[in-house]
Amino acid sequence: QPWSPGAEEGPSTFDIAHVFSLSLIQDLPLDRISWLRPMGRKFTSGWQFLNITTLASGSPFSVFSGVQQTGAGSAGGDRPDQIGTPEFSTRRTVREDYFGRGPDNGSFFHIPIGVPGGTGPNQGRFGTLGRNTFRGPAFHNFDVALIKDTEFARRGGEMLTLQFRAEFFNVFNLVNFGLPANIVRGSGFGFINRTAGTSRQIQFCLKLIY
């Protein structure tokens, strides 16, 4: 609201309340496993396991009416009044229906137009819903890698090492949902139509280190 800065107070769009991040590098001493020793140290030595884990709560988002209630709102319209409390979830039968009422997701809100004393093209007023009032789905991601360094020759005074890497991004293939459509009178309001990360990706590579 351009004439009421206090009504625009709220979380920043990049405000994420809780974040846990873990980076792990673990040597794998396979030569200590008796039944692997016959394969020789060329095979059992040089192994490492890597993991990067990221767990985060959802990002904030605002809901807009899709109507220029007062003529002073944003491109998505002004914010509406909230008249109900959504139960946000991505665990329903229709997982992308974040608000939970399908085509009736807009019933949680009222757009104050045609009201006594209203202004602008629709004789409306600013809604009472705050900025960045709601939170999107949480984000969970697990990346792992298995690395094997094998020393195999000398070049001058340096040892040549062949490194094998097997890398697994989003190893559990978790679906991380993005933010839902946030315009009440827009298409698919309350539904999530994009993800916040990729599906599982696997890559293998060889690198010569000298």
Side-chain angles (χ1 to χ4, degrees), residues 192-208:
I192 299 173
N193 58 17
R194 61 187 179 88
T195 57
T198 63
S199 59
R200 181 193 296 122
Q201 296 183 359
I202 303 173
Q203 67 181 27
F204 303 96
C205 66
L206 290 174
K207 181 166 65 173
L208 183 62

Side-chain angles (χ1 to χ4, degrees), residues 7-185:
E8 295 299 307
E9 292 181 357
S12 299
T13 54
F14 54 82
D15 176 72
I16 299 177
H18 306 97
V19 178
F20 172 80
S21 183
L22 172 68
S23 181
L24 172 70
I25 301 176
Q26 175 65 53
D27 288 331
L28 300 178
L30 300 186
D31 52 343
R32 297 181 184 178
I33 302 175
S34 58
W35 59 272
L36 289 178
R37 288 174 184 166
M39 297 182 181
R41 288 188 56 81
K42 280 288 186 184
F43 175 81
T44 59
S45 64
W47 290 94
Q48 286 185 323
F49 173 79
L50 282 68
N51 166 247
I52 298 176
T53 294
T54 303
L55 308 175
S57 55
S59 300
F61 68 95
S62 298
V63 165
F64 298 98
S65 66
V67 176
Q68 289 290 341
Q69 294 151 213
T70 63
S74 67
D78 302 310
R79 293 193 296 270
D81 294 333
Q82 182 179 351
I83 58 175
T85 304
E87 294 184 11
F88 297 126
S89 177
T90 57
R91 298 181 180 276
R92 300 184 178 93
T93 302
V94 182
R95 297 187 65 190
E96 62 270 25
D97 183 10
Y98 193 52
F99 282 73
R101 288 188 181 173
D104 295 326
N105 283 335
S107 63
F108 291 111
F109 306 94
H110 171 258
I111 301 174
I113 57 177
V115 298
T119 62
N122 289 292
Q123 295 299 299
R125 62 167 173 79
F126 291 111
T128 57
L129 184 66
R131 172 180 173 272
N132 282 343
T133 308
F134 305 117
R135 294 272 172 176
F139 180 86
H140 300 153
N141 188 71
F142 303 88
D143 299 333
V144 300
L146 192 63
I147 297 176
K148 170 72 166 76
D149 288 335
T150 303
E151 297 178 344
F152 66 95
R154 285 190 176 275
R155 181 178 180 271
E158 299 179 346
M159 179 65 71
L160 298 180
T161 301
L162 184 66
Q163 184 180 85
F164 166 76
R165 302 177 68 96
E167 299 173 319
F168 303 83
F169 304 96
N170 189 10
V171 64
F172 299 122
N173 204 29
L174 301 177
V175 178
N176 287 296
F177 287 92
L179 296 177
N182 65 338
I183 299 178
V184 175
R185 290 197 175 180

